Amino acid sequence: MSTATQHQQAQGNTLGGLQVSQNGYTLNPLTASTPTGRPTDFKFTVTGPGGKPVVDYKVEHEKKLHFIVVSRDLTSFQHVHPEMTRDGTWSAKLTLPKAGPYRAFADFTPKGGENLTLGADLQAAGGDYQPEPLPHVSRTSTIGEYTVNLAGNLVPGHTSKLTLTVNKSGKPLSDLQPYLGDFGHLVALRADDLTYLHVHPEASEKAGPEITFHAEVPSGGDYRLFFDFRHDDTVRTADFTATAVLSPSATHDHGH
């Protein structure tokens, strides 16, 4: 998503992922129920202003459509890559780890149109839903042998520079593999309503250890950041909780 689109989403009345329909486009889940803990062939369509499924999309970051599924408590995150049939029906292998409510996001650009992120609610059946508390604010995420450190702060209404540094067994990595056309992929979600912000890194030829992103958040409060990176042919996800606070310098700048 471009910086201009992020700015438009942050400043406009319509924030990403909060609506199932926007500008005549609608996200339509076709799979009625999703079991817990086992793969499901989840199907959906995106219908256009004429009411028919969209079949022509602009390829962005190597995909026609990006499909993100998170649990409502923001402790579970999946970025899956659905396949589309000729009639515009999308299908994704989806495994929801625990019972309860989820939010699905379709991030796409219809051919000849503007980038959109539509959101729809999903429910994983089976068992009692016990929401987990939002993970504590942290600048370090550990995934097995990998550690990812976060530098930078989210500032409402301003473009924030975020730098993620990837280490394995304590050593900085310089051989990250491209994932979706970049050396990293970052999704930010506002904790209170799951507003969706999709950001990508600065252009760089260096395959790590540092990857820099620019994000613009629409308000103060807590956000969840999910960072996908690829190494040794495996995609891993680091997650962080960050709080956006208007800094004194930003307040001063805004005043001028």
Side-chain angles (χ1 to χ4, degrees), residues 87-98:
D87 68 357
T89 300
W90 291 93
S91 181
K93 285 292 183 186
L94 190 61
T95 303
L96 301 182
K98 58 183 180 180

Side-chain angles (χ1 to χ4, degrees), residues 147-149 163-167 171-176 206-212 227:
T147 301
V148 182
N149 296 313
T163 300
L164 293 144
T165 304
V166 185
N167 298 274
K171 296 180 180 179
L173 280 183
S174 58
D175 61 344
L176 292 173
K206 292 185 177 180
E210 294 184 348
I211 303 171
T212 299
F227 169 62

